[in-house]
Amino acid sequence: MRVLITGGHGQLGRALVRTAPSDSEVVALGASDCDVTDPVAVRAVLARLEPDVVFHCAAWTDVDGCEHHPERAWRVNALGTQHVAAACFEAGARLVYISTNYVFDGEQDEPYHEFARPHPLSVYGASKLAGEEAVRALCPQHAIVRTAMLYDATGRNFLTTVLRLAAEQPRLRMVADQYGNPTFVDDLARALWQLVERSAAGTFHVVNAGNASWYDWAQAIVETLQLPVAVEPIPASEYRRAARPPRNGTLVSLALPTLGIELPDWRDALARCLARRD
Ligand SMILES: NC(=O)c1ccc[n+]([C@@H]2O[C@H](COP(=O)([O-])OP(=O)(O)OC[C@H]3O[C@@H](n4cnc5c(N)ncnc54)[C@H](OP(=O)(O)O)[C@@H]3O)[C@@H](O)[C@H]2O)c1
């Protein structure tokens, strides 16, 4: 199986590379090798590599940056995905598009399953949803995978931010009234390979089980590593930011159990990720 990863140098792209099945031939390209905003370049890459599967991970993931520069968000996340979807159709490749829990407004109290109605509150969420629509319209052989709160032991993410802040400050103030599923990229990557093995088509919510607020998550990191800092809960109204994340961004899957795919609880995943740091 020949596999192309867009956004291959990002945190999920790197996890897909390190969890790849041994019988797969994987090419992971960064923005300088395959700029998804350039339709000619995207088509040329697919024609050259002839992949069976494309994991489209490339995105502008700076949620607050997308609010300040919406045109760039639409160009990369929506138009870029349109180019990738059209090129996959032309090349006969199956497309796995990575989307987000930010497509939901978070106003309901229950977790969101795959058939809940999207209603994004942010430019990032709206541009990723437009990407989903392009995939559905242009490439029939697709899986759309919505995930949330990705982290790894290295790189820029909430876990590494908490560790940096904990080294600088005696007290961390964390939002306690916004929820989601902290998801270890390695667990997501393994589930993505399982979806491909099963030729799964449609929309899937793929996250670690259970949910947490930013406060719960920071508290779990601090407790697991026994860091000498206090974590203080604050309301989202006290943490000003450009984008409005969903209050309840918790995802759940109706589809994965039917495929025999199950992800571990987020606390178990966090412990494994932190153990890898040492
Ligand atoms: N991070 C999260 O919490 C989260 C949550 C839900 C869903 N997702 C989705 O999951 C996917 C992977 O996220 P991630 O955390 O791995 O993000 P990431 O670390 O920011 O990686 C995204 C990659 O996209 C690349 N990229 C940006 N603009 C590009 C362009 N014009 N052409 C080609 N590549 C471009 C960047 O490449 P360079 O490094 O080469 O610039 C970057 O490495 C994204 O689609 C994201 O929307 C993420």
Side-chain angles (χ1 to χ4, degrees), residues 11-22:
Q11 60 177 347
L12 177 57
R14 295 193 307 270
L16 281 165
V17 170
R18 64 176 175 259
T19 56
S22 53

Side-chain angles (χ1 to χ4, degrees), residues 7 9-13 30-31 34-37 57-59 61 76 98-100 124 128 147-150:
H9 303 161
Q11 60 177 347
L12 177 57
C34 178
D35 180 349
V36 297
T37 64
C57 303
T61 57
V76 177
I98 313 303
S99 188
T100 170
Y124 171 71
K128 293 290 294 183
T147 189
M149 291 177 156
L150 296 185

Side-chain angles (χ1 to χ4, degrees), residues 102-118:
Y102 277 62
V103 301
F104 298 114
D105 61 21
E107 290 305 320
Q108 73 178 36
D109 292 331
E110 304 78 37
Y112 287 83
H113 58 60
E114 286 91 346
F115 304 98
R117 188 181 292 273

Side-chain angles (χ1 to χ4, degrees), residues 223-275:
E223 272 173 16
T224 307
L225 295 177
Q226 299 184 330
L227 301 176
V229 287
V231 186
E232 185 187 313
I234 58 166
S237 56
E238 278 185 31
Y239 181 63
R240 292 287 153 129
R241 53 181 298 189
R244 194 170 143 212
R247 178 185 64 80
N248 177 22
T250 308
L251 301 180
V252 69
S253 181
L254 297 177
L256 288 194
T258 68
L259 296 167
I261 299 174
E262 192 182 352
L263 275 78
D265 187 81
W266 71 271
R267 287 180 185 274
D268 167 272
L270 178 63
R272 275 183 288 115
C273 179
L274 289 174

Side-chain angles (χ1 to χ4, degrees), residues 79-95:
L79 203 50
T81 301
Q82 193 170 304
H83 297 148
V84 172
C88 283
F89 177 64
E90 268 176 38
R94 286 177 41 216
L95 172 59

Side-chain angles (χ1 to χ4, degrees), residues 28-261:
L29 299 181
S32 54
D33 312 303
C34 178
D35 180 349
V36 297
T37 64
D38 178 347
V40 177
V42 170
R43 207 181 291 128
V45 164
L46 267 93
R48 178 164 55 85
L49 297 175
E50 297 183 330
D52 302 299
V53 175
V54 174
F55 287 115
H56 177 36
C57 303
W60 193 31
T61 57
D62 176 351
V63 172
D64 292 317
C66 288
E67 271 333 280
H68 293 302
H69 303 284
E71 219 175 273
R72 177 174 166 192
W74 290 106
R75 204 174 305 119
V76 177
N77 297 345
L79 203 50
T81 301
Q82 193 170 304
H83 297 148
V84 172
C88 283
F89 177 64
E90 268 176 38
R94 286 177 41 216
L95 172 59
V96 181
Y97 169 59
I98 313 303
S99 188
T100 170
N101 58 337
Y102 277 62
V103 301
F104 298 114
D105 61 21
E107 290 305 320
Q108 73 178 36
D109 292 331
E110 304 78 37
Y112 287 83
H113 58 60
E114 286 91 346
F115 304 98
R117 188 181 292 273
H119 179 231
L121 302 176
S122 59
V123 172
Y124 171 71
S127 64
K128 293 290 294 183
L129 180 61
E132 289 189 9
E133 285 157 5
V135 169
R136 291 193 186 95
L138 297 174
C139 186
Q141 285 197 85
H142 70 253
I144 292 171
V145 173
R146 299 193 187 117
T147 189
M149 291 177 156
L150 296 185
Y151 67 93
D152 195 0
T154 57
R156 275 187 57 195
N157 56 62
F158 184 76
L159 166 61
T160 56
T161 300
V162 166
L163 296 179
R164 179 175 52 78
L165 293 176
E168 295 167 1
Q169 305 169 8
R171 203 168 58 106
L172 309 181
R173 301 173 80 236
M174 292 288 161
V175 171
D177 54 2
Q178 283 171 354
Y179 300 86
N181 320 75
T183 298
F184 181 23
V185 273
D186 281 28
D187 286 354
L188 170 60
R190 275 188 281 269
L192 290 173
W193 286 113
Q194 287 179 303
L195 284 172
V196 164
E197 267 167 34
R198 289 157 174 72
S199 302
T203 301
F204 302 91
H205 287 182
V206 183
V207 286
N208 278 123
N211 76 346
S213 66
W214 302 103
Y215 166 77
D216 298 328
W217 190 5
Q219 182 74 16
I221 295 165
V222 164
E223 272 173 16
T224 307
L225 295 177
Q226 299 184 330
L227 301 176
V229 287
V231 186
E232 185 187 313
I234 58 166
S237 56
E238 278 185 31
Y239 181 63
R240 292 287 153 129
R241 53 181 298 189
R244 194 170 143 212
R247 178 185 64 80
N248 177 22
T250 308
L251 301 180
V252 69
S253 181
L254 297 177
L256 288 194
T258 68
L259 296 167
I261 299 174

